[in-house]
Every structure is written in C-alpha cells, then in structure tokens.
Amino acid sequence: MIEIESATKVFGTGEAAFRALNAVNVTIAENEFFTLLGPSGCGKTTLLRLIAGFEPPTMGAIKLAGDDITRLRPAERPVNTVFQNYALFPHMSVAGNIAFGLEMLGKPKDEVDSTVAEMLRLVKMEELKDRRTSEISGGQQQRVALARALAPHPKVLLLDEPLSALDLKLRKEMQIELKRLQHETGITFVFVTHDQEEALTMSDRIAVMNGGEILQIGNPKEIYERPSARFVANFIGESNFLDATLKGGQVTLAAGGTFDVSVPDGVADGAVSVLLRPEHVAARAGAAQDGEIAATVDTVVYSGEATTLHLSLPTGEKVKAKIGNAPLGDGSLPKEGDSAALTVATGAITVLRD
Amino acid sequence: MAENSPLKTKARGYSVKTLPGFSVVALFTLVALYAPIVILVVYSFNQGTSLAVWEGFSLRWYQQAAANEAVQDAALRSLILAISAASVATVAATMAALATTRTRHFPGRTMIYALINQPLMVPEIVTAVALLIVFAAIKVWTGHTSMIYLIVAHTAFCVPFAYLPIRARLETMDNSLEAAAQDLYASRWLTFRRVTLPLMWPGIVAGLMLAFVISLDDVVITEFVKSAGQETLPTYMLGQLRRVVTPEVNAISTVILLAGAILVSLFFLLTNRRV
Ligand SMILES: Nc1ncnc2c1ncn2[C@@H]1O[C@H](COP(=O)(O)OP(=O)(O)OP(=O)(O)O)[C@@H](O)[C@H]1O
Ligand SMILES: [Mg+2]
C-alpha cells in the first residue's frame, strides 16, 4: 500500500543542517494499523508529513498503491491527516468541518449531506452537529477531527498523537473506538504515539524509531518479546540487561545458568548482552539451588497488581523481578536484605544485537 | 527550585500601585488628557461666541458648521481621502502580512518588517518635507494637481497601521489550519478563500478602521502635500485658528472625536474577539 524507499529528510543547510530522517525504509500493508513509536524528536511527525505531502523528502521516494506520489501536493494525495492539535476550522460548525473535504472534492450536495450524516453517526456526534468547534470538549473535538479526515474516504489515514491531549479514561475509550473505526472503514491507519502501551494494544505492526532511523519493525509480540536492540527493549516495557557469553545457540549468564536462545542475524559467539523481562523472573527466599541464580534483595516495591524486587547479583549486576500479587499475599516473597533464589522462565532470555 | 519559580514571585504581589507618588502622577495624567477634551466638548454647545465664557446651551455652532460650505467641502474631501487611502493601505497591508507570516523564513524578512513600519519610525515632518519636494516636482512637470497626491501620501503612512492588527491576527492563527485545508483537497485559492480570509477578517476590518482614523486625523503631511483649495477637515480647522476662533471649531472637533471614538471602540471589540 505505502512504500517508503530510503526516505531522508535534512532540514537546513551547511553547518545548521539536521538529518531528521535517515534512509527510512518501510512498507505498510493495506488495511493495516501501523504505529510509529519513538521518543520525542525521533522524526515521527516528519515521516507523517512526508507521507501527507507537507514536506518533500530530501532523498528517496514515497509510493502509494504502486504509484510514485513523492512530488504530489497534499491536495493531490488520497491521504488525510488527524493533526495532533486537531486543527479544526474554528469558523465552521462540526458538520461544516466534516463536509469540507467532500466539498473541496466537488461532490454533489446530497452526497455531501449523506456522508456527513454517516460520519456524524460513526463518531456519535449527531446531537452536536451545529455547534461551533470551540464549544465542544477535547474528546469531542478529537472525534470531529477523525470524522473530518475519514469523510473523503482516503486510502490512508495519518494520525499524529491524536490521543495525547486526552485524560486517561477518555483515552482508553478512544483507543477502542479508533480500532473499531479502522475495522469498519477498512482504511490503512498510520498512527504516531510515544506511549508504548498504546502502541502495543492497538497496532498490527509497530516501527520503533530513534534518531531519524527505524530500529525494528514487527508485531507487538515480536517487539516486546524479541526486541533486536537495547534501545527498543528499553523503550518498551521494563528491562534487565545482563552480561553473558554466547556459544553454539546457548548463553551462559555471568551470574550463572545456561539457557537455550535463538540467535539474531549477525551476532557471533562470544560476549553478548541479553534481555530479561522482570516479569519472567521468579524469586523465592533462601539459598540458590541447582538451576537457580543467587541474589540479595535491595528493595521491595509494592504497586497494586504486582510487587517488584530490586536485587543484586554476586557479579554486581542489578536485576528487577516483577511478581504478580496473590490474593491477600502468600508471604513467601523474600524481604529486604534477604538472600533470594531466582528462576528464569524458559525462553525468557533474548540476545540483543548491541 | 520552587523558591524562584515565576508563579511564586507573582503571588507575592508586587504592584506598581504601591510606588510612592503613583496616584498623584496617575491623577495628573488623567486630568491632563481628558480635562481639555471635556472643556472642548462643553464649549461646542456654548450659546455665545466665546471659548471661555459660558452663555447657555445651544446647538448653534453645529448648525453653523453644517451649513458652512467650506466645512462641507473639507469634510467630504476628508472622507473620500480616508476611505480611499485606508482601503488601498489595507489591501497592501493584508498582502504584506500574508507574505511575512505565511512563508518560510527568508533572508531579509527583518528588513521587510522595518521597511513596512518605516512611517512609524521616521518623524512625520521629515516624510512631509520629502513628499512636498517630490510631489512639487511632479506637479510642475505634469501640471496635474488632483487629490491623487494626498491619496498616495495617506496610503503610504496608513500601511503600517493597517499592517499591525492584521499581522497580529495572522500570528495567533494556527498554521496547521491551512495545512488541514490543503490536506482536505482545497486548492491554494480555496484554502485562502475558505480558511485564511474568514479567519483573518477581524484583523483586516480592524486594520481598515485604524487606517481610516489615522488618515482622517492627519495634519502635517496633508498640509505639506495638498494643492491650493484642497482643505481637509483638520487643515481647514488649522486655517480657522489663524483667524477668528469660534466654538464652530469645537463643534467640528466633537464630531470627529465621536467618529474616532466609535471606530476605535469597534477596533478593540474586533481585535479582542476570539473567533
Ligand atoms: N522545520 C524544521 N526545521 C528544522 N528542524 C526540524 C523541523 N521540523 C522538525 N525538525 C527537527 O527534526 C527532528 C524530528 O522532528 P519531529 O517533529 O519529526 O519529531 P517527533 O518524533 O514527531 O517528536 P515529538 O514526539 O516530540 O512530536 C527534531 O529534532 C526537530 O527539531
Ligand atoms: Mg511529533
């Protein structure tokens, strides 16, 4: 559907030149919910603006359904945007905003009216259709922005952190609503967020970006469970990074214990860094026995559904273990200062490329 | 950290009101500003010919001014001049404001601000003398002496006054609105017609009114540029002051004051209105 071929964007010239995107390659499939995830300033908005046509790429090409659209103006692309600040027209009503794109496409009046009515129903805004956009709440504005962008039925919808201004509860509702809309309309969504949980729950696939580059593309499970780079692992979820030695498809932790692992491309036998998610570590009080790793408890942090133990290994490495809380607590968790024995779940260890 | 946060300093309540002498200076300024105006308005209703002795209420000077052909002529010229100059200046200022806010930063943009605002910075008398010299040469050369010189001169010094509110309006307007319009298939022209223009409209009207008032009020440049017999209301009044002073001048001033006050109030209403 969308192919982005080694897109590079350089802002400024000479000394002040800044490379906001560096040879980005992505292919986004039809009807996919594709998320760009990354820290502030990594180039997410820049990539969206390239797809929408607000900026030309410095190098590279953008294709839509096989056609090169790199040089087309925004008005010539069947792509619509939900802006981060919504950018609703303040001098038009809710219905007027939604009708705008259809009117610009020169659709006949009755078709405009029926599509607007359908969109209002879709985003549940029928009651407020005559209000000014300054007279509706943030969540309602967001729905209008969505309806306005969906009304011309674009091939691709770009959403730039559309939920970031909403409070947590509304945000959760809108996440579900967005997923529903995407299913109902069959439109390809390119969604930008820097909220990892939002990315994991909503996306078909996620591209994790940093410093103008895409580090990894994969479905949420792959991204969370098999991050290829330390940055990706660190950005998504909680992580323990441990030193280990890789030899013939097995790693041996510096702190003890040997595990079967899958080895990513381009990683040779020798010293490696591995990822171990805190929820994949179990801990009990007492001395370590065979297959267990010895540790001492530094602190215990209770956080409602789980308790996190901060532990020190004999090698000096620090490890977190996140343990789900049993009803009323079973009292078997080690206390601060105790020795503990750690067990690592099978398949929990991921070898990182860097 | 919290010690010197800006909120904290504000909350501590520093106020100019507590400065010694504040109320005296404030009172003096108010009196100096408004007392003469009040006196001017009051004496425009004087029955007698004096500007200093109250002889009872009458509308006689208003009637006399209205019946005075020289006043009618000057008033009509002032209106035509202010309307033409303000309109042309507003169109120019609108284009200048768009060019200085709706384009990428280009080298020389600061220079352009300075150029547009030049009439605010150069003393009016200097502009007046410069225009006098140039226009006098043109008048001799072409033999043409219509009001066009006044219109050109007024347009020139009205531009920055029209420009400022329009630019202020554009600067508070989110650029992404125009991006959104283009994203929704609007051509450049339709983006301007349907989004930019309606949103900047209050700024344009404000600029137009400000330019109108400024033109209506001008004495110095008009006095230097006008040809014989081309009196505007202000220059007519100035001429009158050299001869006999009657409350007729007060009556004309009061009418101009009223017109100006109405326009300036509308200006503030428009510029403070959120869309
Ligand atoms: N017009 C521009 N001129 C110069 N630099 C720019 C311009 N637009 C963006 N940049 C720079 O490019 C980098 C990427 O910006 P971008 O807006 O794409 O970040 P982002 O990933 O969307 O961040 P955020 O999560 O904060 O929105 C930033 O360092 C930014 O400063
Ligand atoms: Mg952004």
Side-chain angles (χ1 to χ4, degrees):
Chain A
M1 178 96 233
I2 310 174
E3 290 159 63
I4 296 160
E5 294 173 354
S6 55
T8 297
K9 181 69 196 180
V10 181
F11 288 112
T13 49
E15 292 276 293
F18 178 79
R19 200 170 270 259
L21 288 177
N22 190 16
V24 168
N25 284 295
V26 203
T27 302
I28 300 168
E30 186 151 3
N31 196 12
E32 188 170 25
F33 197 117
F34 191 88
T35 297
L36 300 173
L37 175 67
S40 188
C42 70
K44 306 178 296 288
T45 297
T46 306
L47 187 53
L48 276 201
R49 290 176 63 82
L50 251 52
I51 301 174
F54 298 130
E55 304 269 3
T58 311
M59 275 180 287
I62 297 162
K63 291 181 180 166
L64 183 71
D67 303 325
D68 190 330
I69 59 163
T70 318
R71 301 283 147 208
L72 296 187
R73 289 190 296 112
E76 296 165 335
R77 304 182 184 205
V79 174
N80 289 151
T81 308
V82 177
F83 290 81
Q84 183 158 6
N85 59 358
Y86 312 145
L88 295 176
F89 304 126
H91 57 302
M92 297 179 199
S93 67
V94 165
N97 267 274
I98 299 174
F100 189 86
L102 298 162
E103 286 169 4
M104 293 301 118
L105 285 172
K107 300 276 190 230
K109 177 94 174 61
D110 50 342
E111 189 185 330
V112 173
D113 290 346
S114 67
T115 311
V116 168
E118 185 194 326
M119 286 300 139
L120 284 167
R121 193 154 6 94
L122 197 66
V123 297
K124 305 196 183 81
M125 289 288 294
E126 291 122 309
E127 243 98 281
L128 301 175
K129 69 182 165 67
D130 296 320
R131 286 266 190 99
R132 285 276 187 124
T133 54
S134 52
E135 293 161 352
I136 56 179
S137 76
Q140 292 165 340
Q141 289 182 11
Q142 206 261 318
R143 300 218 290 271
V144 176
L146 200 61
R148 182 180 72 174
L150 282 172
H153 208 87
K155 293 207 172 109
V156 180
L157 189 69
L158 308 175
L159 303 104
D160 194 354
E161 306 198 31
L163 307 181
S164 59
L166 307 181
D167 64 46
L168 191 67
K169 187 167 169 295
L170 194 54
R171 196 175 170 134
K172 296 275 175 212
E173 284 172 28
M174 286 307 301
Q175 287 178 358
I176 295 164
E177 212 158 321
L178 268 184
K179 269 306 260 190
R180 172 180 69 87
L181 281 172
Q182 198 245 343
H183 273 293
E184 282 178 21
T185 56
I187 293 174
T188 305
F189 275 35
V190 183
F191 182 87
V192 165
T193 181
H194 55 229
D195 178 338
Q196 41 123 346
E197 194 191 325
E198 192 166 282
L200 290 173
T201 51
M202 299 183 72
S203 319
D204 294 324
R205 282 193 307 153
I206 299 171
V208 182
M209 297 181 66
N210 189 34
E213 302 193 358
I214 292 186
L215 300 181
Q216 187 174 4
I217 301 178
N219 65 34
K221 208 170 153 64
E222 286 163 358
I223 295 282
Y224 185 78
E225 291 176 8
R226 290 284 174 262
S228 63
R230 181 183 284 255
F231 180 87
V232 177
N234 219 355
F235 195 73
I236 301 193
E238 299 251 4
S239 318
N240 295 307
F241 298 109
L242 297 172
D243 292 332
T245 316
L246 175 67
K247 187 156 181 272
Q250 285 192 318
V251 288
T252 306
L253 298 182
T258 298
F259 305 89
D260 290 332
V261 291
S262 64
V263 183
D265 293 344
V267 177
D269 281 1
V272 290
S273 181
V274 300
L275 163 73
L276 178 57
R277 296 286 186 196
E279 67 272 22
H280 294 155
V281 184
R284 61 170 184 83
Q289 291 170 0
D290 221 19
E292 290 179 322
I293 301 168
T296 42
V297 181
D298 297 332
T299 38
V300 179
V301 179
Y302 175 83
S303 60
E305 88 274 14
T307 300
T308 304
L309 305 176
H310 295 254
L311 305 130
S312 293
L313 301 183
T315 55
E317 291 166 302
K318 303 285 183 193
V319 168
K320 283 171 283 186
K322 189 173 182 183
I323 296 154
N325 285 329
L328 299 175
D330 59 5
S332 71
L333 282 182
K335 310 267 178 311
E336 274 173 38
D338 283 358
S339 320
L342 309 182
T343 323
V344 174
T346 321
I349 291 196
T350 305
V351 178
L352 298 171
R353 220 181 285 144
D354 54 353
Chain B
M1 238 281 296
E3 227 83 307
N4 42 23
S5 83
L7 268 179
K8 200 92 185 233
T9 351
K10 219 176 215 169
R12 211 171 280 142
Y14 162 81
S15 163
V16 282
K17 280 192 237 166
T18 57
L19 287 182
F22 175 82
S23 3
V24 177
V25 173
L27 198 67
F28 178 79
T29 313
L30 276 178
V31 169
L33 263 180
Y34 290 104
I37 295 181
V38 171
I39 293 169
L40 173 130
V41 173
V42 167
Y43 276 90
S44 74
F45 297 106
N46 195 2
Q47 168 80 56
T49 338
S50 167
L51 289 177
V53 188
W54 181 251
E55 294 172 39
F57 179 87
S58 94
L59 289 176
R60 127 175 209 215
W61 299 110
Y62 286 88
Q63 284 156 354
Q64 181 170 327
N68 183 337
E69 273 179 23
V71 173
Q72 290 170 2
D73 179 63
L76 185 66
R77 184 169 294 103
S78 272
L79 269 185
I80 294 174
L81 181 57
I83 290 172
S84 341
S87 313
V88 180
T90 304
V91 172
T94 303
M95 296 196 288
L98 283 169
T100 49
T101 56
R102 285 302 184 268
T103 48
R104 271 161 207 273
H105 190 88
F106 51 87
R109 192 150 122 170
T110 324
M111 260 301 283
I112 287 177
Y113 287 146
L115 282 178
I116 294 169
N117 291 321
Q118 175 267 355
L120 295 181
M121 287 172 278
V122 177
E124 202 181 350
I125 189 73
V126 175
T127 312
V129 171
L131 286 173
L132 171 73
I133 295 169
V134 174
F135 286 169
I138 298 177
K139 282 179 195 173
V140 168
W141 180 45
T142 59
H144 184 83
T145 55
S146 73
M147 248 177 81
I148 189 74
Y149 301 100
L150 280 176
I151 295 179
V152 170
H154 277 230
T155 303
F157 70 73
C158 281
V159 166
F161 293 96
Y163 173 76
L164 289 177
I166 300 174
R167 167 152 170 237
R169 178 82 201 170
L170 275 172
E171 272 178 349
T172 60
M173 247 170 75
D174 190 352
N175 266 327
S176 64
L177 293 175
E178 283 135 324
Q182 306 216 334
D183 190 56
L184 291 162
Y185 315 106
S187 62
R188 270 166 221 270
W189 165 244
L190 279 175
T191 302
F192 179 72
R193 221 354 242 98
R194 294 282 309 267
V195 177
T196 317
L197 188 61
L199 288 174
M200 73 190 292
W201 191 245
I204 293 178
V205 176
L208 183 74
M209 288 187 317
L210 203 56
F212 182 85
V213 173
I214 296 290
S215 164
L216 201 63
D217 185 47
D218 181 73
V219 178
V220 178
I221 289 180
T222 312
E223 191 66 37
F224 276 70
V225 169
K226 73 179 170 48
S227 303
Q230 291 179 345
E231 299 291 352
T232 62
L233 267 187
T235 62
Y236 168 79
M237 287 158 68
L238 190 65
Q240 287 304 295
L241 292 182
R242 296 201 191 104
R243 292 176 230 149
V244 254
V245 186
T246 65
E248 185 182 338
V249 172
N250 296 36
I252 301 171
S253 303
T254 305
V255 172
I256 297 181
L257 177 70
L258 195 68
I262 290 173
L263 282 175
V264 171
S265 317
L266 276 177
F267 166 82
F268 277 113
L269 274 181
L270 279 172
T271 43
N272 289 334
R273 198 182 73 175
R274 290 275 149 266
V275 182

